[in-house]
Amino acid sequence: TAHHWYAEHLMWLGRFDEALRESEIARELDPLSLIVSADRGAILYYSRQYDRAITQFRSVREMDPSFPRTALIERAYERNGQLSEALTDVRKLQLSYHGQPWALSELAHFYGKSGQRPQARHAIEKLLEMDQNQQLDPATLMWAYLGMGNTQQTFAYLEKAYAEHSNTLVSLK
């Protein structure tokens, strides 16, 4: 666990080579750990090694197809120019986590990115309704509006996320 968490800490500092070494030590100590493997995928993603990240996330999904920490694969697909794969994946995610704010946010984002604006707007409307009933992390709406290319709303929710100390902001680096 110490090597795993230290690897994540190094990742957030941008020290990716060291993070990967620590992650490998964690994997050697616990080769069947899904979280260690999934977080290795995150290190690869944040170090912009998208092909390797996708491969890593897929290997985790072979062990557990619904392991939540592998959802970052969608963003790796996006950065790799594979929007159709990202949207296909997020649709499957939506079936598993129907109605969850972050799943709707991902759906809105990738619908928007792929030019399916009516579907993206529909998902955003659902998020806004949810936000009326329960205060959502503003980052969920920020991400949804980012996919739509709505800069004004993206920055409005970014400011709100900052004001509310959303933990999602750590990953913006």
Side-chain angles (χ1 to χ4, degrees):
T1 300
H3 289 287
H4 170 217
W5 288 357
Y6 186 49
E8 188 172 4
H9 172 71
L10 291 167
M11 174 188 71
W12 293 126
L13 293 175
R15 295 165 52 186
F16 301 114
D17 291 337
E18 293 171 83
L20 287 169
R21 281 193 295 276
E22 287 296 322
S23 176
E24 181 56 24
I25 293 169
R27 189 202 58 78
E28 288 171 0
L29 292 169
D30 191 355
L32 299 178
S33 171
L34 294 175
I35 192 65
V36 168
S37 294
D39 281 354
R40 182 174 183 79
I43 295 167
L44 292 165
Y45 169 78
Y46 286 112
S47 66
R48 299 180 179 172
Q49 299 180 55
Y50 305 124
D51 286 328
R52 289 182 65 200
I54 290 166
T55 300
Q56 184 69 33
F57 290 130
R58 284 179 179 163
S59 72
V60 174
R61 284 185 172 177
E62 285 175 11
M63 293 183 277
D64 182 348
S66 62
F67 194 67
R69 292 282 283 227
T70 61
L72 195 55
I73 194 171
E74 296 146 6
R75 296 183 187 188
Y77 282 137
E78 177 186 15
R79 301 300 186 275
N80 222 21
Q82 298 171 275
L83 277 177
S84 63
E85 288 86 347
L87 191 54
T88 298
D89 195 79
V90 82
R91 283 181 183 140
K92 289 178 192 170
L93 176 79
Q94 180 62 18
L95 293 174
S96 300
Y97 299 98
H98 181 72
Q100 294 293 322
W102 62 270
L104 274 171
S105 176
E106 292 284 305
L107 196 59
H109 180 88
F110 290 110
Y111 273 138
K113 283 287 188 179
S114 63
Q116 298 180 47
R117 299 182 73 73
Q119 294 91 329
R121 277 193 293 276
H122 181 69
I124 288 173
E125 287 168 8
K126 285 184 179 181
L127 284 169
L128 291 170
E129 285 174 24
M130 292 172 82
D131 195 36
Q132 294 297 317
N133 299 324
Q134 60 177 348
Q135 186 177 3
L136 299 181
D137 180 338
T140 58
L141 283 152
M142 175 191 73
W143 183 248
Y145 281 115
L146 180 65
M148 288 283 291
N150 186 328
T151 308
Q152 183 178 0
Q153 288 290 52
T154 299
F155 276 105
Y157 280 99
L158 175 62
E159 296 270 342
K160 189 173 181 186
Y162 175 77
E164 294 180 15
H165 304 285
S166 170
N167 66 356
T168 303
L169 299 182
V170 206
S171 66
L172 290 181
K173 181 179 176 186

